[in-house]
Amino acid sequence: MDRPTKAKAVKRSAGRPRAFDRQKALGIALDLFWRHGYGGVSIGQLTAAMGISPPSLYAAFGSKETLYREAVALYLDRYGGFMSGLLDDRRAAREAVERALQEVARQFGHADHAPGCMVSCAELQAAPDNAALVMEMAKLRQSAQCALHGRLEAARTSGEIPPTTDTASLAAYYAMVIQGMAVQARDGAKTALLKRLAVLAMQAWPE
Amino acid sequence: MDRPTKAKAVKRSAGRPRAFDRQKALGIALDLFWRHGYGGVSIGQLTAAMGISPPSLYAAFGSKETLYREAVALYLDRYGGFMSGLLDDRRAAREAVERALQEVARQFGHADHAPGCMVSCAELQAAPDNAALVMEMAKLRQSAQCALHGRLEAARTSGEIPPTTDTASLAAYYAMVIQGMAVQARDGAKTALLKRLAVLAMQAWPE
DNA sequence: TCTATTATGTAGCGACCACTACATTTTAGG
DNA sequence: CCTAAAATGTAGTGGTCGCTACATAATAGA
């Protein structure tokens, strides 16, 4: 990590240079994994879509599993912005959640990429061999919900929402909403409908 | 279908009798498909769990795909009862939905079977080869949502809910809630929490 | 130019996939 | 008993899976 292995395109280490765009290939993997899941995409489909051969893929990404993890990281980086909006403490909690759900609706229904949420629908059902990945993705969802819980708890102690509010259930509720919206989007729901769902979901807000 | 091939256990057609309990084997397939999805379960795992050999499985169920379809049908028969409760027109719509969501919470968190909902999480991400099954499961979810829409529309015309209510969005909302609850249950949410989510979800009810 | 390093293309590894050919066994009906 | 019918166990089928051995090609630094 600290060695200048491939930090910049300018500074290149010895050896034959890569003949393909690693980031673009990763983006292709992201799209395939998003649509079809880990087990639903084969190395053959990946290499075909990337226009490279298996050895090139393995030299660049290590294994199918590490490629998947890297694709998830790219997803969070590219499309996971609504989570930071959800937690934004420069806004009132209610406004932050309301805006985040609207952003989720926009995001999940966007036509430029796969519908829904890669993480919400990730490995909900998977082969027993992929138990490690299954657990990782579940933990990813759990940690997001946990962060929201923290934000809501802060809102409770600051008096933004009633002191009797069950913030754990409320966090689970909005996690559920986002996960449900992801399924709806996967099944073809457009942004307009998703936004209406977001509005309805906000009626559960305390007070 | 109309020939008495295997209608009753009493009336048995010629040939060597089956050496295993077909319904029990189907129940095992249901459990495996529920937990791991269609692509996540292999014929080898199925035959091992059933205690039979591949030819017996194929003689009894035809193919992996038809076995999956039959397992889904069994799921709907055994565990899909909350849908009829959701549509029950002998009750007020609000009460029907409220009770159905409580039943969903009980069902999804029950320890005697896989957590969550087999249909809600079915084939959300799957291999391109299984596109037919993917579409079938999506249609199954869609038809359930459509039935709920019909029930809500009836409630609107009967004056049970305001005439300005957007029943399509409301149906999508409760479908989203159930699908989100399925993900929450899959990730370990217990019935107690799921019931609190159901209560929160009811706050979106019109008027 | 020489060496070290890295990526590439070709070809194929063993393991598993869904599925089946085939002979045998067990039943029902005659 | 016989024949027809259906299920069984054994032992595979061709195909695809994730992954790799190996020789070659292309670069950096000396």
Side-chain angles (χ1 to χ4, degrees), chain A residues 13-20 53 55-56:
Chain A
S13 66
R16 180 174 174 172
R18 187 172 286 120
F20 63 95
S53 60
S56 296

Side-chain angles (χ1 to χ4, degrees), chain A residues 30-107:
Chain A
L30 165 56
D31 179 70
L32 285 173
F33 282 135
W34 189 348
R35 293 181 193 276
H36 306 295
Y38 178 75
V41 181
S42 72
I43 295 290
Q45 291 168 331
L46 286 163
T47 55
M50 295 173 177
I52 64 177
S53 60
S56 296
L57 184 148
Y58 281 90
F61 299 107
S63 72
K64 189 187 177 186
E65 196 167 326
T66 56
L67 171 57
Y68 181 77
R69 289 202 181 89
E70 207 168 330
V72 170
L74 178 60
Y75 172 81
L76 293 175
D77 186 53
R78 274 196 194 163
Y79 308 106
F82 62 83
M83 271 311 300
S84 50
L86 197 61
L87 305 172
D88 190 351
D89 54 1
R90 290 167 308 180
R91 292 187 194 280
R94 172 170 194 150
E95 194 189 347
V97 171
E98 200 160 20
R99 282 170 173 261
L101 288 188
Q102 289 294 316
E103 170 60 20
V104 163
R106 209 172 302 120
Q107 180 77 250

Side-chain angles (χ1 to χ4, degrees), chain A:
Chain A
M1 279 295 183
D2 43 0
R3 282 202 309 124
T5 342
K6 56 178 191 293
K8 305 285 183 185
V10 166
K11 180 62 179 179
R12 194 172 48 202
S13 66
R16 180 174 174 172
R18 187 172 286 120
F20 63 95
D21 186 331
R22 190 183 189 278
Q23 200 62 15
K24 190 177 287 183
L26 183 57
I28 291 170
L30 165 56
D31 179 70
L32 285 173
F33 282 135
W34 189 348
R35 293 181 193 276
H36 306 295
Y38 178 75
V41 181
S42 72
I43 295 290
Q45 291 168 331
L46 286 163
T47 55
M50 295 173 177
I52 64 177
S53 60
S56 296
L57 184 148
Y58 281 90
F61 299 107
S63 72
K64 189 187 177 186
E65 196 167 326
T66 56
L67 171 57
Y68 181 77
R69 289 202 181 89
E70 207 168 330
V72 170
L74 178 60
Y75 172 81
L76 293 175
D77 186 53
R78 274 196 194 163
Y79 308 106
F82 62 83
M83 271 311 300
S84 50
L86 197 61
L87 305 172
D88 190 351
D89 54 1
R90 290 167 308 180
R91 292 187 194 280
R94 172 170 194 150
E95 194 189 347
V97 171
E98 200 160 20
R99 282 170 173 261
L101 288 188
Q102 289 294 316
E103 170 60 20
V104 163
R106 209 172 302 120
Q107 180 77 250
F108 286 11
H110 203 290
D112 283 6
H113 49 70
C117 173
M118 185 190 197
V119 173
S120 291
C121 295
E123 306 303 296
L124 296 178
Q125 294 181 138
D129 322 340
N130 309 131
L133 275 185
V134 168
M135 208 137 30
E136 279 184 48
M137 300 311 293
K139 279 217 172 127
L140 204 53
R141 290 187 289 270
Q142 210 60 41
S143 69
Q145 180 173 326
C146 214
L148 175 57
H149 180 208
R151 176 68 185 90
L152 294 176
E153 190 59 20
R156 196 179 64 84
T157 58
S158 78
E160 220 178 318
I161 54 179
T164 58
T165 304
D166 179 355
T167 54
S169 295
L170 199 60
Y173 171 80
Y174 284 109
M176 174 203 77
V177 166
I178 291 172
Q179 287 150 4
M181 284 173 73
V183 176
Q184 286 285 310
R186 161 42 279 245
D187 283 355
K190 298 302 169 200
T191 289
L193 173 57
L194 295 174
K195 284 192 173 187
R196 273 177 251 129
L197 299 184
V199 169
L200 285 168
M202 283 309 296
Q203 296 194 22
W205 193 262
E207 185 66 304

Side-chain angles (χ1 to χ4, degrees), chain B residues 58-75:
Chain B
Y58 281 91
F61 300 107
S63 72
K64 189 187 178 186
E65 196 166 328
T66 56
L67 171 57
Y68 182 79
R69 288 202 182 88
E70 207 168 328
V72 170
L74 178 60
Y75 171 82

